[in-house]
Amino acid sequence: EAQVTQNPRYLITVTGKKLTVTCSQNMNHEYMSWYRQDPGLGLRQIYYSMNVEVTDKGDVPEGYKVSRKEKRNFPLILESPSPNQTSLYFCASSLSQGPREQYFGPGTRLTVT
Amino acid sequence: EDQVTQSPEALRLQEGESSSLNCSYTVSGLRGLFWYRQDPGKGPEFLFTLYSAGEEKEKERLKATLTKKESFLHITAPKPEDSATYLCAVQAGSWGKFQFGAGTQVVVTP
């Protein structure tokens, strides 16, 4: 089944404790992206990757890191999480960086205390 | 600054009562406008892509249209299963960057 998977689905952590949220797609997509979703603000793009080893900042990259060493994986790293990073995170992938539809993962709900 | 605004924020409809959702945008160099549906606790699910003014796309009870400044998602004779949050997104300027609106939450009652 073609899908985007994220792990973990739920995470409660403390301020400053490094964490990684994994994202994997099995559709051989070139493009991958991370978003956070907050009430009233909609989805905001954090980082995106147009291919292996090619990443770029979205609208809200502060406090996040990403890497794209393999085509299928695009992990999101929070080196020192803070409470304002409490949010619902979605990973998405698309066949290419052009105006193509994105396929979204199921989401990761992160709480930072 | 690029902006995407959706209205209304919420919409409550009776089954069969048609209505329209609005997505207005101020961007430079629109490459594509997208509509997604999001159910509670799930990731957004793709509905339509529109590329240029005048374009229309249809799927079951949904029809999306695009002008130079806005897009409409028309819901004809909605059913309770059409209840969801509908998201609009644009890709403009830089390849790879997307901007989403805050969404319209639609509730259809029997």
Side-chain angles (χ1 to χ4, degrees):
Chain A
E1 181 192 352
Q3 60 183 349
V4 178
T5 57
Q6 295 179 228
N7 282 293
R9 294 288 315 280
Y10 303 90
L11 180 59
I12 301 174
T13 189
V14 296
T15 299
K17 186 176 180 182
K18 180 178 178 180
L19 67 92
T20 299
V21 184
T22 65
C23 172
S24 183
Q25 50 91 6
N26 63 0
M27 295 170 279
N28 201 35
H29 283 173
E30 286 188 351
Y31 177 91
M32 297 184 76
S33 185
W34 275 103
Y35 297 88
R36 60 178 289 173
Q37 187 173 39
D38 301 289
L41 296 177
L43 282 159
R44 291 180 292 168
Q45 193 173 34
I46 304 171
Y47 270 96
Y48 61 94
S49 169
M50 295 204 274
N51 214 324
V52 175
E53 303 290 1
V54 180
T55 63
D56 211 341
K57 296 177 181 178
D59 289 329
V60 289
E62 296 77 22
Y64 304 95
K65 281 178 58 176
V66 293
S67 68
R68 186 101 180 267
K69 293 184 170 56
E70 304 168 280
K71 198 171 187 178
R72 64 183 294 130
N73 296 323
F74 190 43
L76 180 70
I77 303 156
L78 285 72
E79 295 266 359
S80 183
S82 63
N84 65 13
Q85 293 179 298
T86 292
S87 187
L88 179 58
Y89 291 86
F90 288 101
C91 178
S93 74
S94 178
L95 190 60
S96 68
Q97 75 269 20
R100 304 291 298 264
E101 66 273 20
Q102 294 180 78
Y103 295 83
F104 283 81
T108 295
R109 186 165 292 282
L110 172 65
T111 302
V112 184
T113 62
Chain B
E1 184 181 315
D2 294 349
Q3 238 179 347
V4 180
T5 305
Q6 290 189 247
S7 62
E9 289 184 14
L11 192 57
R12 193 173 184 90
L13 301 171
Q14 292 272 9
E15 185 171 1
E17 178 189 0
S18 301
S19 188
S20 295
L21 283 53
N22 178 264
C23 171
S24 65
Y25 60 92
T26 51
V27 300
S28 301
L30 180 73
R31 300 188 188 279
L33 184 141
F34 305 82
W35 283 98
Y36 289 86
R37 170 196 170 119
Q38 186 176 23
D39 293 305
K42 294 192 173 182
E45 181 183 327
F46 170 75
L47 293 172
F48 303 108
T49 307
L50 301 165
Y51 295 101
S52 57
E55 193 173 358
E56 298 183 350
K57 289 206 176 155
E58 250 178 293
K59 180 180 177 181
E60 296 180 356
R61 295 175 294 282
L62 300 177
K63 180 179 177 180
T65 62
L66 181 65
T67 72
K68 287 187 178 177
K69 293 185 178 180
E70 58 191 349
S71 177
F72 291 94
L73 184 66
H74 308 278
I75 310 179
T76 302
K79 298 183 177 182
E81 53 261 43
D82 295 321
S83 296
T85 296
Y86 292 85
L87 304 172
C88 166
V90 300
Q91 187 181 32
S94 304
W95 291 108
K97 290 195 85 169
F98 288 85
Q99 282 206 302
F100 279 77
T104 294
Q105 184 179 27
V106 174
V107 174
V108 183
T109 56

